[in-house]
Amino acid sequence: MKAIVCDKPFSLGIEDRPAPVRKAGEAMIRIRRVGLCGTDYHIFSGNQPFLAYPRIMGHELAGEVAEVDEGSSLHIGQLVTINPYLPCGVCVACRKEKPNCCVNIKVLGVHIDGGMTEFICVPADAVIPVEGLSPDQAAMVEFLSVGAHAVRRGQVSKADRALVVGAGPIGVGVALFCKFAGAEVSLIDTSAERLAYARDKVGLEHVQQVGEDLDAFLTERSNGEYFDVVFDATGNGKAIEKGFAYVAHGGRYVLVSVVKDTISFSDPEFHKREATLLGSRNATREDFEYVISKLRSGAIPSEMLQTHNFDLMETPTRIKELIANQGSVLKAIATF
């Protein structure tokens, strides 16, 4: 079978690999769509902290069930997505029903080979049916679930003013789910192009480019009190550090981004606010099911989220262009 392999930073190619052999308890999935995200771009660029090369990337997946155990609730030909966060089931996090931050987690496309390939075998309980969705929508479930999980971690409600820093796909997802929770949502980014798209196409009305007018915007949007909950989705260490200043007294700061940097902040400023600092990692099946319901209902403007589509075998020649033009790329989905 064909597979897209990143054998080292800035080296991505097509290889012939043996087809996987399914084990009992697993499902074999024929991959139909693969979404590309910041994690894949970081892997290609050598900036992903949890990865060893070579690696088959791809964790935003949609496909069809090709093989499964007899008696499974899944059936051949069924359209599915995959929860790529494979837990050990026995560690302290798993015992607390937090498999998304399992001590021994294996993430498809990061710790182990992912879905940029014709077939993949995964535990059957990681396979999630997506009846009523298109293959493209099914490939969006994972990245949207990361945003939904972050909003759940932040306990966002209609009483909150929420600020999302970073208007990439994760940030846009976070902002959408904040809206669904009833919060007043503001979105900021360094890219005017991304913000205009989020406002005009996705319906996120209150956006502002980082620059000399930012302080006035934040003051106006929060009556000078700043924000009950702030989310960082920038993937930038300096932006994460600056975000502490945007948190209101008694507020929460949710870090969705993963960076290699050591993050520092002013302890007196943090304490006088009695702020809460939260990490948000990955997503759970509960988040996946919630996102699927929102996609199925039409609440999520999925057609507006997808900005690029191409054949998966073009990925080695397309990825540099996608990285270089991230201001105009919200979600790229490759088709097998």
Side-chain angles (χ1 to χ4, degrees), residues 130-148:
V130 289
E131 277 82 8
L133 303 191
S134 69
D136 287 338
Q137 288 177 316
M140 297 183 196
V141 172
E142 188 277 337
F143 91 83
L144 288 167
S145 296
V146 172

Side-chain angles (χ1 to χ4, degrees), residues 311-332:
D311 189 276
L312 185 62
M313 292 297 109
E314 298 176 13
T315 304
T317 59
R318 289 288 197 112
I319 192 164
K320 289 183 179 179
E321 172 192 345
L322 294 173
I323 293 172
N325 296 288
Q326 287 189 59
S328 62
V329 179
L330 188 55
K331 178 52 57 181

Side-chain angles (χ1 to χ4, degrees), residues 196-204 301 304-305:
Y197 193 91
R199 181 190 62 224
D200 300 337
K201 302 296 185 181
V202 185
L204 299 171
M304 294 296 100
L305 298 180

Side-chain angles (χ1 to χ4, degrees), residues 166-196:
I170 298 297
V172 167
V174 169
L176 283 171
F177 288 106
C178 284
K179 281 188 66 175
F180 296 152
E184 296 180 13
V185 185
S186 303
L187 177 66
I188 64 175
D189 196 281
T190 57
S191 170
E193 188 175 12
R194 275 188 163 180
L195 291 169

Side-chain angles (χ1 to χ4, degrees), residues 210-237:
V210 174
E212 61 182 25
D213 296 329
L214 179 62
D215 287 344
F217 171 81
L218 297 177
T219 298
E220 187 274 329
R221 288 291 296 155
S222 66
N223 290 330
E225 296 176 330
Y226 288 91
F227 296 86
D228 304 294
V229 57
V230 177
F231 297 88
D232 178 85
T234 65
N236 182 283

